[in-house]
Amino acid sequence: MATTIRRAVLTLPAASPGPENPLPPLRTRGDVHRLDRAAMAGLPPAMARRTRYAPLRSLLPVRRRDDYTRTRVPTDLDAIVIENDRLRATVLPGLGGRVHSLVHKPTGRPLLYSNPVLQPAGFALNGAWFSGGIEWNIGATGHGALSVAPLHAARVPAPDGGQMLRLWEWERLRDLPFQVDLWLPDGSDFLYAGVRVRNPHHRTAPVYWWSNTAVPEGPRTRVLAPAERAWHFGYDRASLRRVPVPHWDGADRTYPADGTHHADYFYDLPDGERRWIAALDGDGQGLVQTSTDALTGRKLFLWGADETGRRWQEWLTEPGTGGYAEIQAGLAPTQLEHVPLEAGGEFAWLEAYGPLAADPTAVHGADWAAARAEAAARLEAALPRAAVDAAYEAWRPYADHEPKETLATGSGWGALEVERGRLELPGTPFPVPADGGGDEQRPWRALLRTGSLGEEGPEPGPSLVSPAWRELLETAGPGPHTAYHLGVAQWHAGDRSQAVRSWEHALRQGMGWPARRALAAADVERGHPERAADRYARAVTEAHEAGASRAARTALAREAIEALLAVGRAEEAAAVLAAVHPVARARGRFRLLEARVLEGRGDAAGARAVLAEGFEVEDLGEGESFP
């Protein structure tokens, strides 16, 4: 059959990712992947430089997604199916462009771990993330902020005369546009992905990219890569060490199901070696991923067989579902690194995903060199390295081809940035929303065109924080919203004192609770907990009096209760908690706060009773601990 691209509907039991948190994330971002100074000292110089380069300190201008639940109902998800006579790929453009499934049609074999449910969990940089399939991570160390966000999608010509599916968006953490072109050459057993990240600015930008592929974690699944060593990261901030492959610390670490604790293994691939990684089962069959040489890194992530790892696996899906591991490919040797992209430059490469069948005796034999040589030889026979390089060269001119048919629509932020920078980005048009601007972008488009921030409702919308937008705010017509957003931009830039002055100015101009909450968050960060508690308490009262949205009042109450408990003001925290909407108050995060409030009031028995009832903290974050 000829390659086809068509719209479809995928129905899954799904919990909604929920709306964005309307409060800008002003707290310094924690990072479970950060190394301490001693660990950094043991790295090769180039790796150490990239690890120190531009780590993400703030989520701004992105907002958090922390209002999801664990209540799943059958949900129709917009999907796009790419299919030829060999493979069928199902893509979810509304959920970060995730490749949900990849099926080898001649055998009926699923090549990916496809989660049978959609269950958000707190693993993305900004919160909600879900497991399974192939995900595209751009921005900074971790799962990208677009994990549950819509991307633009369109049909474009493919290099072989067929069709490609183009996915693209504006990544806001690093202010960079990117695209992923997916296609299946006629008769091919491999899904191709042409990826491009561009820097349209007049400054160097840090880039992070990792393509993460979930594969079944069967008891005999082995992960192979052309390496004899790996960098092991054990999530204790000091454990990045070079270890032998496959045997280390008394076990063969290439079998994910045998791992004791969750861990990363970044394979140390020799220069000149073909870039590939495969996960093959007991019969020597499974998935292989390969690429052009620009995508240098390869990694195995495993959850581990301990209680914590098993619990996380269950948390992300449903009982009785098989576990999974991830085989990953990235721009740098490890995920702790960011790579500089010069002004006006771009990174581009080609990836290929497909089935691999190898001799199981060799794959699972004691001779590691023979195992990886067998997989490499079978890959070369199925898809020669030269063919991947040729496909990349053929694709490059098509990366600029304009889309022929829109299949899905992403955000309006890219259109705003294109207008502000007067940018030309062939192949990735960012259309202005049909309503003429988009509700969130409309005030900023007015600032751009008139020099004054457009009217917003009683609650400020999303802030923009890049140097260019900050400059526009500094020269804009006065007003409380202008002062408020300027304060957010200054805070993001590290000019904390000036940010406080801007928020105080917004408060004097009548901004009310949003400015007071910003000042309270600043107090927490700057070590003034009593003043923070005072401001939070007053902001809660003002928000109720002003008729703030339920989402804003709920998010504000959560922060206020934490701040009040931090200084021993449990009675006031109890009053704030009592005013939270009953639906929100029944959620796990607020049940936990209820127990802490009771403990703070001296009612240890009541706190134990709440905990004994049992509840789930839906937005529990990776590495999170509680006072």
PDB file of all heavy atoms in Angstrom, residues 296-325:
ATOM      1  N   THR A 296      24.320  12.359  19.452  1.00  0.00           N
ATOM      2  CA  THR A 296      25.479  11.603  19.932  1.00  0.00           C
ATOM      3  C   THR A 296      25.174  10.654  21.079  1.00  0.00           C
ATOM      4  O   THR A 296      25.799   9.608  21.208  1.00  0.00           O
ATOM      5  CB  THR A 296      26.575  12.576  20.408  1.00  0.00           C
ATOM      6  OG1 THR A 296      26.054  13.380  21.469  1.00  0.00           O
ATOM      7  CG2 THR A 296      27.022  13.474  19.284  1.00  0.00           C
ATOM      8  N   GLY A 297      24.250  11.010  21.988  1.00  0.00           N
ATOM      9  CA  GLY A 297      24.075  10.271  23.221  1.00  0.00           C
ATOM     10  C   GLY A 297      23.110   9.106  23.099  1.00  0.00           C
ATOM     11  O   GLY A 297      22.186   9.123  22.284  1.00  0.00           O
ATOM     12  N   ARG A 298      23.325   8.065  23.932  1.00  0.00           N
ATOM     13  CA  ARG A 298      22.384   6.957  24.065  1.00  0.00           C
ATOM     14  C   ARG A 298      22.292   6.578  25.531  1.00  0.00           C
ATOM     15  O   ARG A 298      23.294   6.603  26.253  1.00  0.00           O
ATOM     16  CB  ARG A 298      22.816   5.734  23.242  1.00  0.00           C
ATOM     17  CG  ARG A 298      22.750   5.915  21.729  1.00  0.00           C
ATOM     18  CD  ARG A 298      21.347   6.195  21.233  1.00  0.00           C
ATOM     19  NE  ARG A 298      21.246   6.253  19.786  1.00  0.00           N
ATOM     20  CZ  ARG A 298      21.513   7.325  19.041  1.00  0.00           C
ATOM     21  NH1 ARG A 298      21.926   8.450  19.610  1.00  0.00           N
ATOM     22  NH2 ARG A 298      21.381   7.286  17.734  1.00  0.00           N
ATOM     23  N   LYS A 299      21.107   6.200  25.955  1.00  0.00           N
ATOM     24  CA  LYS A 299      20.873   5.987  27.383  1.00  0.00           C
ATOM     25  C   LYS A 299      19.848   4.892  27.620  1.00  0.00           C
ATOM     26  O   LYS A 299      18.887   4.740  26.861  1.00  0.00           O
ATOM     27  CB  LYS A 299      20.384   7.286  28.021  1.00  0.00           C
ATOM     28  CG  LYS A 299      19.891   7.152  29.454  1.00  0.00           C
ATOM     29  CD  LYS A 299      19.111   8.390  29.884  1.00  0.00           C
ATOM     30  CE  LYS A 299      18.303   8.119  31.142  1.00  0.00           C
ATOM     31  NZ  LYS A 299      17.464   9.259  31.529  1.00  0.00           N
ATOM     32  N   LEU A 300      20.042   4.161  28.708  1.00  0.00           N
ATOM     33  CA  LEU A 300      19.028   3.262  29.255  1.00  0.00           C
ATOM     34  C   LEU A 300      18.541   3.843  30.572  1.00  0.00           C
ATOM     35  O   LEU A 300      19.351   4.166  31.451  1.00  0.00           O
ATOM     36  CB  LEU A 300      19.622   1.869  29.498  1.00  0.00           C
ATOM     37  CG  LEU A 300      18.830   0.952  30.449  1.00  0.00           C
ATOM     38  CD1 LEU A 300      17.467   0.600  29.858  1.00  0.00           C
ATOM     39  CD2 LEU A 300      19.627  -0.307  30.774  1.00  0.00           C
ATOM     40  N   PHE A 301      17.229   3.993  30.700  1.00  0.00           N
ATOM     41  CA  PHE A 301      16.628   4.319  31.989  1.00  0.00           C
ATOM     42  C   PHE A 301      15.824   3.117  32.452  1.00  0.00           C
ATOM     43  O   PHE A 301      15.029   2.554  31.688  1.00  0.00           O
ATOM     44  CB  PHE A 301      15.697   5.527  31.909  1.00  0.00           C
ATOM     45  CG  PHE A 301      14.854   5.687  33.154  1.00  0.00           C
ATOM     46  CD1 PHE A 301      15.409   6.217  34.308  1.00  0.00           C
ATOM     47  CD2 PHE A 301      13.534   5.254  33.191  1.00  0.00           C
ATOM     48  CE1 PHE A 301      14.657   6.328  35.473  1.00  0.00           C
ATOM     49  CE2 PHE A 301      12.776   5.362  34.343  1.00  0.00           C
ATOM     50  CZ  PHE A 301      13.338   5.908  35.493  1.00  0.00           C
ATOM     51  N   LEU A 302      16.019   2.725  33.710  1.00  0.00           N
ATOM     52  CA  LEU A 302      15.229   1.639  34.277  1.00  0.00           C
ATOM     53  C   LEU A 302      14.677   2.068  35.631  1.00  0.00           C
ATOM     54  O   LEU A 302      15.287   2.866  36.349  1.00  0.00           O
ATOM     55  CB  LEU A 302      16.058   0.369  34.407  1.00  0.00           C
ATOM     56  CG  LEU A 302      17.373   0.449  35.183  1.00  0.00           C
ATOM     57  CD1 LEU A 302      17.157   0.121  36.643  1.00  0.00           C
ATOM     58  CD2 LEU A 302      18.403  -0.500  34.590  1.00  0.00           C
ATOM     59  N   TRP A 303      13.508   1.529  35.956  1.00  0.00           N
ATOM     60  CA  TRP A 303      12.850   1.887  37.211  1.00  0.00           C
ATOM     61  C   TRP A 303      13.410   1.119  38.397  1.00  0.00           C
ATOM     62  O   TRP A 303      13.377   1.604  39.523  1.00  0.00           O
ATOM     63  CB  TRP A 303      11.349   1.617  37.109  1.00  0.00           C
ATOM     64  CG  TRP A 303      10.612   2.674  36.366  1.00  0.00           C
ATOM     65  CD1 TRP A 303      10.114   2.592  35.098  1.00  0.00           C
ATOM     66  CD2 TRP A 303      10.284   3.978  36.840  1.00  0.00           C
ATOM     67  NE1 TRP A 303       9.499   3.777  34.757  1.00  0.00           N
ATOM     68  CE2 TRP A 303       9.587   4.637  35.809  1.00  0.00           C
ATOM     69  CE3 TRP A 303      10.517   4.654  38.026  1.00  0.00           C
ATOM     70  CZ2 TRP A 303       9.116   5.930  35.934  1.00  0.00           C
ATOM     71  CZ3 TRP A 303      10.054   5.944  38.166  1.00  0.00           C
ATOM     72  CH2 TRP A 303       9.358   6.573  37.129  1.00  0.00           C
ATOM     73  N   GLY A 304      13.888  -0.092  38.157  1.00  0.00           N
ATOM     74  CA  GLY A 304      14.410  -0.906  39.241  1.00  0.00           C
ATOM     75  C   GLY A 304      13.342  -1.783  39.863  1.00  0.00           C
ATOM     76  O   GLY A 304      12.141  -1.513  39.775  1.00  0.00           O
ATOM     77  N   ALA A 305      13.805  -2.866  40.498  1.00  0.00           N
ATOM     78  CA  ALA A 305      12.900  -3.862  41.055  1.00  0.00           C
ATOM     79  C   ALA A 305      12.560  -3.605  42.513  1.00  0.00           C
ATOM     80  O   ALA A 305      11.821  -4.395  43.112  1.00  0.00           O
ATOM     81  CB  ALA A 305      13.522  -5.259  40.906  1.00  0.00           C
ATOM     82  N   ASP A 306      13.070  -2.531  43.106  1.00  0.00           N
ATOM     83  CA  ASP A 306      12.757  -2.269  44.500  1.00  0.00           C
ATOM     84  C   ASP A 306      11.332  -1.740  44.635  1.00  0.00           C
ATOM     85  O   ASP A 306      10.633  -1.497  43.646  1.00  0.00           O
ATOM     86  CB  ASP A 306      13.772  -1.307  45.122  1.00  0.00           C
ATOM     87  CG  ASP A 306      13.761   0.066  44.467  1.00  0.00           C
ATOM     88  OD1 ASP A 306      13.034   0.257  43.468  1.00  0.00           O
ATOM     89  OD2 ASP A 306      14.491   0.954  44.944  1.00  0.00           O
ATOM     90  N   GLU A 307      10.894  -1.551  45.860  1.00  0.00           N
ATOM     91  CA  GLU A 307       9.513  -1.148  46.106  1.00  0.00           C
ATOM     92  C   GLU A 307       9.183   0.197  45.473  1.00  0.00           C
ATOM     93  O   GLU A 307       8.090   0.389  44.921  1.00  0.00           O
ATOM     94  CB  GLU A 307       9.270  -1.092  47.622  1.00  0.00           C
ATOM     95  CG  GLU A 307       7.836  -0.767  47.999  1.00  0.00           C
ATOM     96  CD  GLU A 307       7.612  -0.750  49.498  1.00  0.00           C
ATOM     97  OE1 GLU A 307       8.601  -0.939  50.243  1.00  0.00           O
ATOM     98  OE2 GLU A 307       6.464  -0.547  49.924  1.00  0.00           O
ATOM     99  N   THR A 308      10.147   1.134  45.523  1.00  0.00           N
ATOM    100  CA  THR A 308       9.899   2.458  44.958  1.00  0.00           C
ATOM    101  C   THR A 308       9.694   2.387  43.454  1.00  0.00           C
ATOM    102  O   THR A 308       8.751   2.970  42.898  1.00  0.00           O
ATOM    103  CB  THR A 308      11.074   3.396  45.280  1.00  0.00           C
ATOM    104  OG1 THR A 308      11.218   3.498  46.699  1.00  0.00           O
ATOM    105  CG2 THR A 308      10.842   4.773  44.689  1.00  0.00           C
ATOM    106  N   GLY A 309      10.596   1.665  42.764  1.00  0.00           N
ATOM    107  CA  GLY A 309      10.489   1.554  41.310  1.00  0.00           C
ATOM    108  C   GLY A 309       9.205   0.891  40.877  1.00  0.00           C
ATOM    109  O   GLY A 309       8.547   1.326  39.922  1.00  0.00           O
ATOM    110  N   ARG A 310       8.820  -0.191  41.565  1.00  0.00           N
ATOM    111  CA  ARG A 310       7.581  -0.878  41.207  1.00  0.00           C
ATOM    112  C   ARG A 310       6.365   0.028  41.438  1.00  0.00           C
ATOM    113  O   ARG A 310       5.417   0.035  40.660  1.00  0.00           O
ATOM    114  CB  ARG A 310       7.421  -2.144  42.043  1.00  0.00           C
ATOM    115  CG  ARG A 310       8.443  -3.243  41.762  1.00  0.00           C
ATOM    116  CD  ARG A 310       8.424  -3.715  40.328  1.00  0.00           C
ATOM    117  NE  ARG A 310       9.431  -3.025  39.518  1.00  0.00           N
ATOM    118  CZ  ARG A 310       9.523  -3.103  38.203  1.00  0.00           C
ATOM    119  NH1 ARG A 310       8.646  -3.801  37.521  1.00  0.00           N
ATOM    120  NH2 ARG A 310      10.461  -2.464  37.558  1.00  0.00           N
ATOM    121  N   ARG A 311       6.423   0.783  42.543  1.00  0.00           N
ATOM    122  CA  ARG A 311       5.291   1.656  42.861  1.00  0.00           C
ATOM    123  C   ARG A 311       5.145   2.749  41.804  1.00  0.00           C
ATOM    124  O   ARG A 311       4.017   3.060  41.385  1.00  0.00           O
ATOM    125  CB  ARG A 311       5.485   2.274  44.248  1.00  0.00           C
ATOM    126  CG  ARG A 311       4.380   3.230  44.666  1.00  0.00           C
ATOM    127  CD  ARG A 311       3.019   2.586  44.639  1.00  0.00           C
ATOM    128  NE  ARG A 311       1.971   3.478  45.097  1.00  0.00           N
ATOM    129  CZ  ARG A 311       0.722   3.489  44.630  1.00  0.00           C
ATOM    130  NH1 ARG A 311       0.358   2.638  43.695  1.00  0.00           N
ATOM    131  NH2 ARG A 311      -0.163   4.339  45.110  1.00  0.00           N
ATOM    132  N   TRP A 312       6.259   3.320  41.358  1.00  0.00           N
ATOM    133  CA  TRP A 312       6.163   4.343  40.316  1.00  0.00           C
ATOM    134  C   TRP A 312       5.579   3.744  39.028  1.00  0.00           C
ATOM    135  O   TRP A 312       4.766   4.372  38.340  1.00  0.00           O
ATOM    136  CB  TRP A 312       7.524   4.954  40.035  1.00  0.00           C
ATOM    137  CG  TRP A 312       7.855   6.128  40.900  1.00  0.00           C
ATOM    138  CD1 TRP A 312       8.904   6.254  41.769  1.00  0.00           C
ATOM    139  CD2 TRP A 312       7.142   7.376  40.988  1.00  0.00           C
ATOM    140  NE1 TRP A 312       8.882   7.476  42.392  1.00  0.00           N
ATOM    141  CE2 TRP A 312       7.816   8.189  41.925  1.00  0.00           C
ATOM    142  CE3 TRP A 312       5.995   7.878  40.380  1.00  0.00           C
ATOM    143  CZ2 TRP A 312       7.387   9.464  42.265  1.00  0.00           C
ATOM    144  CZ3 TRP A 312       5.562   9.159  40.710  1.00  0.00           C
ATOM    145  CH2 TRP A 312       6.256   9.929  41.638  1.00  0.00           C
ATOM    146  N   GLN A 313       5.986   2.526  38.687  1.00  0.00           N
ATOM    147  CA  GLN A 313       5.430   1.889  37.496  1.00  0.00           C
ATOM    148  C   GLN A 313       3.912   1.746  37.623  1.00  0.00           C
ATOM    149  O   GLN A 313       3.165   2.036  36.676  1.00  0.00           O
ATOM    150  CB  GLN A 313       6.060   0.501  37.308  1.00  0.00           C
ATOM    151  CG  GLN A 313       7.540   0.531  36.944  1.00  0.00           C
ATOM    152  CD  GLN A 313       7.759   0.259  35.464  1.00  0.00           C
ATOM    153  OE1 GLN A 313       6.962   0.671  34.619  1.00  0.00           O
ATOM    154  NE2 GLN A 313       8.838  -0.423  35.154  1.00  0.00           N
ATOM    155  N   GLU A 314       3.451   1.297  38.778  1.00  0.00           N
ATOM    156  CA  GLU A 314       2.005   1.154  38.994  1.00  0.00           C
ATOM    157  C   GLU A 314       1.302   2.505  38.959  1.00  0.00           C
ATOM    158  O   GLU A 314       0.179   2.619  38.449  1.00  0.00           O
ATOM    159  CB  GLU A 314       1.756   0.487  40.347  1.00  0.00           C
ATOM    160  CG  GLU A 314       2.268  -0.937  40.449  1.00  0.00           C
ATOM    161  CD  GLU A 314       2.250  -1.446  41.882  1.00  0.00           C
ATOM    162  OE1 GLU A 314       1.807  -0.673  42.767  1.00  0.00           O
ATOM    163  OE2 GLU A 314       2.682  -2.585  42.115  1.00  0.00           O
ATOM    164  N   TRP A 315       1.955   3.517  39.504  1.00  0.00           N
ATOM    165  CA  TRP A 315       1.362   4.864  39.578  1.00  0.00           C
ATOM    166  C   TRP A 315       1.079   5.416  38.188  1.00  0.00           C
ATOM    167  O   TRP A 315       0.115   6.155  37.981  1.00  0.00           O
ATOM    168  CB  TRP A 315       2.335   5.764  40.330  1.00  0.00           C
ATOM    169  CG  TRP A 315       1.870   7.155  40.622  1.00  0.00           C
ATOM    170  CD1 TRP A 315       2.209   8.283  39.932  1.00  0.00           C
ATOM    171  CD2 TRP A 315       1.011   7.589  41.685  1.00  0.00           C
ATOM    172  NE1 TRP A 315       1.619   9.387  40.499  1.00  0.00           N
ATOM    173  CE2 TRP A 315       0.880   8.987  41.577  1.00  0.00           C
ATOM    174  CE3 TRP A 315       0.351   6.917  42.711  1.00  0.00           C
ATOM    175  CZ2 TRP A 315       0.104   9.722  42.475  1.00  0.00           C
ATOM    176  CZ3 TRP A 315      -0.424   7.666  43.593  1.00  0.00           C
ATOM    177  CH2 TRP A 315      -0.535   9.048  43.467  1.00  0.00           C
ATOM    178  N   LEU A 316       1.909   5.045  37.218  1.00  0.00           N
ATOM    179  CA  LEU A 316       1.815   5.614  35.876  1.00  0.00           C
ATOM    180  C   LEU A 316       0.850   4.870  34.973  1.00  0.00           C
ATOM    181  O   LEU A 316       0.589   5.319  33.861  1.00  0.00           O
ATOM    182  CB  LEU A 316       3.200   5.635  35.223  1.00  0.00           C
ATOM    183  CG  LEU A 316       4.210   6.588  35.883  1.00  0.00           C
ATOM    184  CD1 LEU A 316       5.614   6.319  35.352  1.00  0.00           C
ATOM    185  CD2 LEU A 316       3.820   8.035  35.633  1.00  0.00           C
ATOM    186  N   THR A 317       0.321   3.726  35.420  1.00  0.00           N
ATOM    187  CA  THR A 317      -0.578   2.978  34.558  1.00  0.00           C
ATOM    188  C   THR A 317      -1.661   2.319  35.411  1.00  0.00           C
ATOM    189  O   THR A 317      -2.258   2.959  36.264  1.00  0.00           O
ATOM    190  CB  THR A 317       0.207   1.974  33.686  1.00  0.00           C
ATOM    191  OG1 THR A 317      -0.703   1.297  32.831  1.00  0.00           O
ATOM    192  CG2 THR A 317       1.009   0.981  34.495  1.00  0.00           C
ATOM    193  N   GLU A 318      -1.945   1.038  35.209  1.00  0.00           N
ATOM    194  CA  GLU A 318      -2.977   0.359  35.978  1.00  0.00           C
ATOM    195  C   GLU A 318      -2.485  -1.032  36.365  1.00  0.00           C
ATOM    196  O   GLU A 318      -1.578  -1.578  35.741  1.00  0.00           O
ATOM    197  CB  GLU A 318      -4.272   0.270  35.181  1.00  0.00           C
ATOM    198  CG  GLU A 318      -4.173  -0.502  33.883  1.00  0.00           C
ATOM    199  CD  GLU A 318      -5.479  -0.483  33.114  1.00  0.00           C
ATOM    200  OE1 GLU A 318      -6.443   0.135  33.594  1.00  0.00           O
ATOM    201  OE2 GLU A 318      -5.541  -1.092  32.037  1.00  0.00           O
ATOM    202  N   PRO A 319      -3.062  -1.632  37.399  1.00  0.00           N
ATOM    203  CA  PRO A 319      -2.610  -2.956  37.849  1.00  0.00           C
ATOM    204  C   PRO A 319      -2.658  -3.983  36.720  1.00  0.00           C
ATOM    205  O   PRO A 319      -3.560  -3.984  35.884  1.00  0.00           O
ATOM    206  CB  PRO A 319      -3.597  -3.299  38.964  1.00  0.00           C
ATOM    207  CG  PRO A 319      -4.093  -1.987  39.463  1.00  0.00           C
ATOM    208  CD  PRO A 319      -4.129  -1.092  38.260  1.00  0.00           C
ATOM    209  N   GLY A 320      -1.660  -4.866  36.708  1.00  0.00           N
ATOM    210  CA  GLY A 320      -1.616  -5.924  35.713  1.00  0.00           C
ATOM    211  C   GLY A 320      -0.932  -5.544  34.417  1.00  0.00           C
ATOM    212  O   GLY A 320      -0.767  -6.382  33.525  1.00  0.00           O
ATOM    213  N   THR A 321      -0.539  -4.284  34.287  1.00  0.00           N
ATOM    214  CA  THR A 321       0.142  -3.838  33.074  1.00  0.00           C
ATOM    215  C   THR A 321       1.635  -4.138  33.196  1.00  0.00           C
ATOM    216  O   THR A 321       2.236  -3.923  34.246  1.00  0.00           O
ATOM    217  CB  THR A 321      -0.054  -2.328  32.872  1.00  0.00           C
ATOM    218  OG1 THR A 321      -1.457  -2.059  32.801  1.00  0.00           O
ATOM    219  CG2 THR A 321       0.605  -1.870  31.583  1.00  0.00           C
ATOM    220  N   GLY A 322       2.231  -4.626  32.134  1.00  0.00           N
ATOM    221  CA  GLY A 322       3.656  -4.910  32.154  1.00  0.00           C
ATOM    222  C   GLY A 322       4.483  -3.656  32.326  1.00  0.00           C
ATOM    223  O   GLY A 322       4.069  -2.560  31.954  1.00  0.00           O
ATOM    224  N   GLY A 323       5.655  -3.820  32.922  1.00  0.00           N
ATOM    225  CA  GLY A 323       6.536  -2.688  33.131  1.00  0.00           C
ATOM    226  C   GLY A 323       7.243  -2.263  31.859  1.00  0.00           C
ATOM    227  O   GLY A 323       7.132  -2.896  30.805  1.00  0.00           O
ATOM    228  N   TYR A 324       7.982  -1.186  31.959  1.00  0.00           N
ATOM    229  CA  TYR A 324       8.700  -0.683  30.794  1.00  0.00           C
ATOM    230  C   TYR A 324      10.037  -0.084  31.225  1.00  0.00           C
ATOM    231  O   TYR A 324      10.270   0.219  32.398  1.00  0.00           O
ATOM    232  CB  TYR A 324       7.875   0.368  30.046  1.00  0.00           C
ATOM    233  CG  TYR A 324       7.838   1.727  30.719  1.00  0.00           C
ATOM    234  CD1 TYR A 324       8.710   2.737  30.329  1.00  0.00           C
ATOM    235  CD2 TYR A 324       6.932   1.990  31.752  1.00  0.00           C
ATOM    236  CE1 TYR A 324       8.686   3.979  30.958  1.00  0.00           C
ATOM    237  CE2 TYR A 324       6.898   3.223  32.369  1.00  0.00           C
ATOM    238  CZ  TYR A 324       7.774   4.217  31.973  1.00  0.00           C
ATOM    239  OH  TYR A 324       7.754   5.434  32.591  1.00  0.00           O
ATOM    240  N   ALA A 325      10.921   0.034  30.260  1.00  0.00           N
ATOM    241  CA  ALA A 325      12.168   0.777  30.404  1.00  0.00           C
ATOM    242  C   ALA A 325      12.205   1.783  29.269  1.00  0.00           C
ATOM    243  O   ALA A 325      11.339   1.772  28.378  1.00  0.00           O
ATOM    244  CB  ALA A 325      13.367  -0.161  30.354  1.00  0.00           C
TER     245      ALA A 325
END
